[in-house]
Structure formats: structure tokens, C-alpha cells
């Protein structure tokens, strides 16, 4: 015999259990549950992950683009494949509220200067709009140089490049408190070279945002 | 100087040391509220999220959260989502994320804990449990339909 408190609880629950048995055991009238939908969505890099949906003791692995599991109002579950536009239609405002992923951007500079190359200048708008899209961003700007010039000169130049970007970001409306700038001189060459080699890909800032 | 700058950079990207703050509201539009300890308060961009919080959005509401393991989650209108359990070790990347979508819509991108241990993130719904092996997914729970007569 269960303890007294449990027996009381059983007695109290008896009418509920009877009611749920009546409504749940037969095929009709249909059991009514909240319809559910699970979809695995390809990432912006095209990567498709997988999710496992367990329902009524059964596990389904979804690992194809827009592969879905649907729980119907009658409690049954079915596999489905949605289209991208169907997912967009159903989850538009939800997906739009997804915060931006941690990201980083590279911008390149003219030799010996803290002025961007024309190509990077053209790209600046894109980077800025990406940063501006993120409310409350945490931004780190790290400046780098190539191996032409002394260590001291390159330390100053790399910091000047990072600072110039920082000032531009502040002018854009990003609070100064959310931006850190640093120079790494020629210590982290993107393309390894000997000393005193002019290498455009090493003259850069990296802007990381989360 | 260099060391200072590196420390600042490291601190900025490190997981916050405050144990209770597990995420940050990064997006909030329309009516968005966080229920904590029985009290509901309007949630704004910059507000912290904690374990056992329940997020509510109204008919015009949407919200987006970044969690300390870099996982992301967003919610559409008329949504109720409870964070039942959250733990993340920024050194080992071990963790556990248990949430319940009671109704509405969510989109998610798994982070470091799922990369470390698949299915360490679980989303429950009224009739199912979803384990996340990675990476992006959406879930919807509709209003229950009246039983057919």
C-alpha cells in the first residue's frame, strides 16, 4: 500500500485519470495536442547540422537541409521536408531577431600609412553596416603591419591604424566604451615573410565583433 | 602597454565571471518581458538573462539572446520560453542547456557546449524533446486545437 498521502493524492486524481483515459484510449474522439514543428536549417556557410526529436518514445534524427518533424494535432508525428521559403514565411520575425554571430573582418592599408586601400575603403560601408546591425556590440580592433621598417615604427603604425578605425566606428555612432583598439606591429604576419618585405596582405586591421 | 591591451581584449571576449548571468538580450522589439522569481519586467537590449528566467513575447514582440557559450536564440511573437537549466564551463566547454518552449516560435544556433558534447542542449515542448547536435534550427509550438467532435 502506498503511504497515506499518496493514497489521498490518487483518490483526488482519480476523476482526472478516468477522464484522460476516456479521451485518450480510443481513436475517436481524437486526442488534441498543440501542433509542433522542428526544422534543421542550413547555416549561412551552408553547413547542415542535425537535431534529434524524441516524441512518444520514438527518436527521429533530422540532418538534411530543412528536414522537419511535425507533431499533428491528433498527437501523431510525421517527417517532412520544408522549403526555404516555407521556413522564412513561418519564422520570418523570429529569424530576424537572431543576434549576429561572432564575426571578424579584415581591412587593408596603403604601405607605411594609416590610410585604407581603395578596395578596403569600398568595403568599409559593408563592414560598418554589419557592425551597426548589432545592438550592444563588443568590438576589438587590432592593427598590424608588414615587416618593412623598425619594430618601434611598426608598433606605432599598427596602433595608428587601429585607432583610426576606432575613431571611425565612434563617428558611426558605436559607443567608445564598446570598442578596444590595439596594435600588434609586425608580430602577427598574416603571410609569413622575411624582415623588410613589403606584403600588402600583412598591412591590415582585424575587427572582431560579438 | 601591449600586455594591458591584450588583457583588455581577453577580458572582453572571455565568459563573464559572474556566475548567474548566462546571457544578454541583444535584440528586443515590441512587448518582451522576463519573468524572474515570480515577477515580470519589461526586457530591454542590454538586460542580462539568468537560469530559471521565463521569456514572454507579446503579439508584436521578438527578442534575441546571446549566451555565454556563444549560442544564439531568438523568439517570435506570442512565445513563452523557460530556461530550466544552464551551465557552461568556459575552460572545458562542458555545459548543459535545458529549455522549454511552451508556445510560440524560436530559432537557435548552438554554441561551444554542443560542439564539445552533442545534445548537451535540449529543448522541450509540450509533447517532445529535441536534442541539438548542431547547429541551426527552428521550433514552433502552436496553440492547441480544439478536439474534433
Amino acid at each position: 500500500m502506498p503511504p497515506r498521502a499518496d493514497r489521498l493524492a490518487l483518490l483526488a486524481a482519480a476523476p482526472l485519470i478516468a477522464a484522460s483515459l476516456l479521451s485518450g484510449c480510443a481513436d475517436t474522439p481524437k486526442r488534441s495536442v498543440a501542433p509542433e514543428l522542428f526544422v534543421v536549417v542550413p547555416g549561412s556557410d551552408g553547413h547542415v547540422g542535425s537535431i534529434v526529436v524524441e516524441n512518444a518514445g520514438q527518436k527521429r534524427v533530422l540532418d538534411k537541409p530543412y528536414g522537419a518533424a511535425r507533431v499533428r494535432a491528433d498527437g501523431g508525428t510525421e517527417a517532412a521536408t520544408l522549403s526555404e521559403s516555407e521556413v522564412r514565411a513561418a519564422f520570418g520575425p523570429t529569424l530576424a531577431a537572431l543576434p549576429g554571430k561572432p564575426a571578424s573582418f579584415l581591412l587593408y592599408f596603403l604601405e607605411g600609412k594609416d590610410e585604407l586601400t581603395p578596395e578596403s575603403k569600398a568595403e568599409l560601408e559593408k563592414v560598418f553596416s554589419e557592425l551597426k546591425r548589432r545592438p550592444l556590440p563588443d568590438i576589438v580592433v587590432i592593427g598590424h603591419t608588414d615587416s618593412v621598417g623598425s619594430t618601434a615604427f611598426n608598433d606605432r603604425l599598427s596602433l595608428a591604424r587601429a585607432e583610426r578605425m576606432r575613431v571611425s566606428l565612434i563617428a558611426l555612432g558605436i559607443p567608445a566604451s564598446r570598442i578596444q583598439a590595439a596594435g600588434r606591429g609586425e608580430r602577427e604576419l598574416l603571410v609569413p615573410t622575411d624582415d623588410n618585405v613589403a606584403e600588402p596582405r600583412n598591412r591590415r586591421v582585424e575587427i572582431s565583433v560579438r | 602597454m601591449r600586455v594591458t591591451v591584450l588583457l583588455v581584449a581577453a577580458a572582453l571576449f572571455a565568459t563573464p565571471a559572474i556566475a548567474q548571468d548566462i546571457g544578454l538580450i541583444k535584440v528586443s522589439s515590441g512587448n518582451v518581458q522576463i519573468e524572474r522569481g515570480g515577477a515580470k519586467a519589461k526586457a530591454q537590449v542590454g538586460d542580462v538573462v539568468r537560469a530559471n528566467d521565463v521569456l514572454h513575447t507579446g503579439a508584436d514582440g521578438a527578442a534575441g539572446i546571446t549566451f555565454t557559450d556563444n549560442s544564439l536564440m531568438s523568439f517570435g511573437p506570442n512565445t513563452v520560453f523557460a530556461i530550466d537549466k544552464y551551465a557552461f564551463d568556459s575552460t572545458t566547454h562542458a555545459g548543459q542547456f535545458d529549455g522549454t518552449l511552451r508556445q510560440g516560435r524560436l530559432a537557435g544556433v548552438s554554441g561551444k557546449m554542443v560542439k564539445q558534447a552533442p545534445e548537451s542542449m535540449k529543448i522541450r515542448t509540450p509533447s517532445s524533446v529535441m536534442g541539438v547536435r548542431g547547429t541551426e534550427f527552428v521550433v514552433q509550438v502552436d496553440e492547441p486545437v480544439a478536439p474534433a467532435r
Side-chain angles (χ1 to χ4, degrees):
Chain A
M1 274 300 270
R4 194 178 131 77
D6 285 4
R7 264 182 283 146
L8 283 177
L10 270 177
L11 281 176
L16 284 175
I17 292 169
S20 67
L21 281 175
L22 278 175
S23 66
C25 64
D27 286 328
T28 53
K30 284 193 176 74
R31 191 163 74 100
S32 178
V33 303
E36 298 177 1
L37 175 66
F38 302 83
V39 191
V40 63
V41 179
S44 46
D45 58 357
H47 171 80
V48 181
S50 74
I51 56 179
V52 186
V53 179
E54 191 176 350
N55 176 285
Q58 205 185 350
K59 277 193 178 190
R60 283 161 212 270
V61 177
L62 310 176
D63 56 5
K64 303 281 184 293
Y66 301 105
R70 209 190 282 276
V71 179
R72 298 187 307 258
D74 65 4
T77 306
E78 62 195 16
T81 303
L82 302 190
S83 67
E84 184 181 351
S85 55
E86 281 172 313
V87 170
R88 291 271 151 210
F91 291 91
T94 310
L95 288 164
L98 207 54
K101 285 181 208 172
S104 72
F105 309 93
L106 286 177
L107 294 168
Y108 298 93
F109 288 80
L110 297 174
E111 186 168 5
K113 294 182 177 174
D114 63 357
E115 194 183 330
L116 289 172
T117 63
E119 296 79 26
S120 281
K121 258 183 199 160
E123 210 180 335
L124 202 56
E125 277 308 306
K126 209 176 75 191
V127 174
F128 280 1
S129 67
E130 176 63 28
L131 295 178
K132 222 175 168 178
R133 250 174 22 92
R134 298 165 185 257
L136 224 70
D138 292 320
I139 299 175
V140 176
V141 186
I142 311 266
H144 302 273
T145 68
D146 62 20
S147 60
V148 175
S150 69
T151 302
F153 173 82
N154 281 331
D155 281 357
R156 279 198 305 276
L157 178 58
S158 65
L159 186 59
R161 286 173 174 169
E163 277 296 331
R164 183 136 178 208
M165 280 299 111
R166 194 177 78 91
V167 168
S168 305
L169 294 174
I170 293 167
L172 189 73
I174 294 172
S177 63
R178 305 214 71 87
I179 312 170
Q180 303 295 327
R184 290 282 290 148
E186 55 177 272
R187 289 171 186 76
E188 279 179 42
L189 300 177
L190 186 65
V191 180
T193 66
D194 291 335
D195 200 15
N196 280 308
V197 174
E199 170 52 66
R201 284 170 293 178
N202 286 334
R203 301 192 287 263
R204 69 202 193 276
V205 292
E206 180 173 14
I207 303 177
S208 305
V209 62
R210 166 166 113 168
Chain B
M1 171 64 192
R2 208 171 74 233
V3 174
T4 316
V5 158
L6 279 177
L7 284 176
V8 166
L12 202 59
F13 279 95
T15 309
I18 308 126
Q20 279 195 307
D21 295 349
I22 61 167
L24 203 57
I25 304 245
K26 290 265 188 172
V27 178
S28 176
S29 65
N31 185 7
V32 179
Q33 298 198 308
I34 285 190
E35 183 185 341
R36 182 177 298 159
K40 273 193 201 175
K42 188 167 167 53
Q44 283 161 336
V45 169
D47 286 352
V48 298
V49 175
R50 294 180 176 163
N52 300 315
D53 281 356
V54 182
L55 186 111
H56 300 256
T57 62
D60 63 342
I65 297 174
T66 56
F67 290 92
T68 52
D69 81 325
N70 269 1
S71 52
L72 313 171
M73 216 171 264
S74 63
F75 307 92
N78 294 318
T79 296
V80 181
F81 180 76
I83 301 167
D84 305 313
K85 216 174 247 183
Y86 183 96
F88 177 63
D89 183 324
S90 59
T91 306
T92 63
H93 288 187
Q96 188 184 2
F97 188 145
D98 285 359
T100 302
L101 182 66
R102 294 184 193 155
Q103 66 169 67
R105 292 178 173 88
L106 71 76
V109 182
S110 63
K112 292 175 185 167
M113 73 169 77
V114 166
K115 202 164 190 178
Q116 163 75 22
E119 297 189 49
S120 53
M121 178 187 247
K122 289 204 190 306
I123 308 288
R124 282 161 217 284
T125 56
S127 49
S128 315
V129 181
M130 176 183 74
V132 181
R133 296 182 179 173
T135 312
E136 302 198 17
F137 54 88
V138 292
V139 184
Q140 176 178 346
V141 175
D142 287 339
E143 299 276 328
V145 179
R149 292 271 168 194

